[in-house]
Structures are given as C-alpha cells and as structure tokens.
Amino acid sequence: MQDHQVHRFSVAPMMDWTDRHCRIIHRLMSRRARLYTEMVTAQAVIRGDRQRLIGFDDFEHPVALQLGGNDPVLLAEAARIGADFGYDEINLNCGCPSDRVQGGAFGACLMREPGLVGDCVAAMKAAVSIPVTVKCRIGVDDQDPEEALDALTAAVRAAGVDALTVHARKAWLQGLSPKENREVPPLDYERAYRLKDNNPDLIVTINGGIRAPEEWSGHLARLDGVMIGREAYQNPEILLQVDPLLFGAAAPVADAFAMLEALEPHIAAHLERGGRLHAFTRHLVGLFPGQRGARLFRRHLAEHCVSAEAGLVDLRAAAAHVSRYEDAAVAAA
C-alpha cells in the first residue's frame, strides 16, 4: 500500500494541457505536487512514437502516466513500458466522457463494466512494481452513484489497486459535451466522503471543481488527497501555496517572476533541440492574474512568442509588461 502523503495534492491529467512543458512549469512551483500526463491510449504507447508520446524530464518527478483503454493485455504492456520509462505511477482513466473514448468503449464508459476494470487493474499490477491507480466518476448517465461507485471500488480493490481518485460528478455520455461534463452535472463531494468512510484503508482523493486553497483543508479532513485541474492551469500561481500549506516546506520560488527565471534553462534546452518557444508560452497565459500589465503580457505572448524564431528575449519582453514591485509599492503607499 502507498504512503498516503504522496497523493495529498496532485494536478489532474488534462488533454491538450498537461504535456511535458506544462508539467515543468508546474513542478517549478511545487516540489511535492504529484503531476499527471495527458491520457495516452495503451495502443498508442505500444505502437506509436514513445519518446514523443510519453517521454518526460527527470525534473518532473513525482509524475504519473495516465493510460486509456479497456484491454487488460494491452494495458499491461503499456504499463510495463511506462514503468520502464521511469514513471512513478500508472493511472487508468475511467472518467473521460469524450466522443473519442466512447467510440473506443473506454474512459467513463468503463464505469458500466467494473469487472473489466478490475481485470485491467489486475493485469497492470502483475506487469509492474510501481503503484497502479484509477481515476473515475461517481457514475454515468442513469446509474445510481451509490451502486456504480461501490461496484467499481469493490472490483479494483479486489484487483489490488493502490489508490482511487474520484471526480465527484456523474458523466453524461449522451447529450453533453466534454466541456459541459466538467461543469453541468452537480458535484457530490459527500459521495466521495462516504466512499472513504466505508473504505478507510483505501487511498481516496477528490477531483472536480476544487479551486481556492481554503477548500483543500476541508477535503483533506475527510479524504487522503485533493486533485485540482483547470484552476492549476488557468491560475498556475496557486501552486506556490501547495508546499507551504500542505507539506510544511517553502515554495521552490518566490513568485511567478522567479518561476520564469527558473524556467529559462528548460526553455533554452528545448530551443536547442529544435523546439519552439510557444510549446512553453502557451501554458503561461494564466500568470499574473489581476496584476497591472497582465493583459499586455498575454498579448505579447500571442503576438511575439508563437513564431519559429521566437526566443527567450521575447518571453522576457512579455514579462517586462508586468511590474514586479507593484504590490509592494501599493502597500508602502
């Protein structure tokens, strides 16, 4: 069984967002948060360009690989590949409601097949020595969340799952878009609390609609961990509060300006390999919320940091639009 602390705080896997560049930005603001890849299908891991799909920087640890699929044999092989790459955890996606996963009968569709999920987890556990976890919903469509979540939990527990992350919403596979599935179905945190109460020895973390740090402690009083998604992406500076508030350690950097300075060597290495600045700057638009110059910062990123020739000088020019000392000056006045 895993140490409960390792899941105390994590950033959710988010398609098109939590790529390797985004994860480096997040890691620069928290040493302790557990990071997740975007979902990658088991078939893609086995047959695709593995370095492009699941390659990562050692700096990202602790980092987990999230897999999509419904074939125990393929998932076991993909998990083995992920473990060989050096990931700290393999996570099975049982919560994504997109058309893509519905066409492949995985993601949130697996809420309807707890026995198959158990088989997948058992196969993955047999293939790797690192933790195998599951991220799920509380149910889909007309399922009763009490029955659906209990059935899935029983199946994965029997298979030896190491932790369960519960996105505390139902997923509607028909009639709602993936975006609406993140916002419309009502949140039911109490359902996750009841699950933990009935499974006290299982690591259970909560996801869905969690934003302000004031909310974290409330969930942690009932559960083993919190996982935030869009808030970490749209307001990444919130991660500067993770290590001090939840782990009793200083934040790695003082503020967003210091993070950008620490990010420069990672960007420089990426550019030297032929990469583009935009691979990083597209994840920076949420910096400096509410600060004077933030709008000009975003505009500069959009206008000057997307070309193939853009470099660190362009990022520095963008940051120069925001006053580093504004808050201190206002306070002194």
Side-chain angles (χ1 to χ4, degrees), residues 6-317:
V6 303
H7 285 283
R8 188 167 175 79
F9 187 93
S10 55
V11 178
M14 293 177 281
M15 293 299 296
D16 299 322
W17 287 3
T18 52
D19 62 19
R20 68 187 71 185
H21 312 298
C22 175
R23 296 193 303 268
I24 285 175
I25 293 166
H26 288 172
R27 178 59 67 221
L28 284 167
M29 290 186 282
S30 171
R31 293 283 185 258
R32 299 295 295 275
R34 177 155 289 220
L35 306 180
Y36 285 76
T37 69
E38 305 168 88
M39 182 187 68
V40 187
T41 66
Q43 288 192 356
V45 171
I46 295 169
R47 300 169 185 168
D49 181 342
R50 295 174 186 170
Q51 190 57 46
R52 179 181 64 83
L53 290 168
I54 65 170
F56 70 99
D57 193 304
D58 284 343
F59 178 73
E60 298 174 39
H61 288 294
V63 59
L65 170 64
Q66 187 183 66
L67 295 175
N70 61 9
D71 185 315
V73 174
L74 294 180
L75 283 166
E77 178 60 21
R80 186 179 299 111
I81 293 168
D84 288 344
F85 260 67
Y87 280 96
D88 300 292
E89 171 193 329
I90 305 296
N91 179 264
L92 177 62
N93 184 317
C94 295
C96 179
S98 72
D99 292 340
R100 177 188 178 199
V101 303
Q102 291 186 54
F106 59 101
C109 300
L110 290 173
M111 292 297 301
R112 297 191 183 116
E113 300 189 67
L116 176 57
V117 177
D119 291 342
C120 293
V121 171
M124 295 160 75
K125 288 285 294 181
V128 301
S129 59
I130 61 175
V132 174
T133 65
V134 169
K135 186 173 187 289
C136 67
R137 294 283 184 137
I138 60 174
V140 295
D141 297 337
D142 294 324
Q143 283 185 320
D144 179 344
E146 299 298 324
E147 297 176 0
L149 187 56
D150 280 351
L152 185 83
T153 302
V156 298
R157 287 204 66 180
V161 75
D162 291 285
L164 185 65
T165 296
V166 179
H167 183 158
R169 299 182 196 269
K170 266 191 175 184
W172 288 95
L173 301 180
Q174 301 296 326
L176 291 181
S177 69
K179 181 178 186 294
E180 291 170 323
N181 264 293
R182 295 192 297 269
E183 301 169 348
V184 174
L187 285 159
D188 188 356
Y189 296 136
E190 292 293 332
R191 179 64 191 97
Y193 297 161
R194 291 193 296 275
L195 181 74
K196 176 62 181 179
D197 290 343
N198 294 329
N199 297 269
D201 57 335
L202 175 65
I203 297 176
V204 179
T205 66
I206 189 91
N207 173 234
I210 302 170
R211 293 180 173 84
E214 303 83 66
E215 301 174 47
W216 304 347
S217 58
H219 291 302
L220 288 170
R222 301 290 301 274
L223 300 164
D224 300 296
V226 293
M227 173 184 279
I228 68 171
R230 284 170 290 163
E231 189 67 14
Y233 191 83
Q234 296 168 349
N235 179 22
E237 288 170 75
I238 199 171
L239 295 176
L240 291 171
Q241 301 184 55
V242 172
D243 294 4
L245 289 180
L246 301 185
F247 297 98
V253 293
D255 54 24
F257 293 101
M259 184 278 289
L260 290 178
E261 292 170 1
L263 183 61
E264 288 199 3
H266 298 277
I267 294 177
H270 173 71
L271 295 176
E272 288 175 7
R273 293 191 295 268
R276 295 176 64 162
L277 179 67
H278 183 59
F280 280 93
T281 57
R282 76 185 190 94
H283 300 301
L284 297 174
V285 294
L287 291 181
F288 309 116
Q291 289 185 246
R292 186 176 301 169
R295 185 175 179 182
L296 291 174
F297 169 76
R298 293 192 296 272
R299 179 184 296 174
H300 198 103
L301 292 183
E303 294 179 354
H304 301 283
C305 296
V306 295
S307 70
E309 297 76 27
L312 287 171
V313 65
D314 299 290
L315 177 57
R316 292 170 189 151

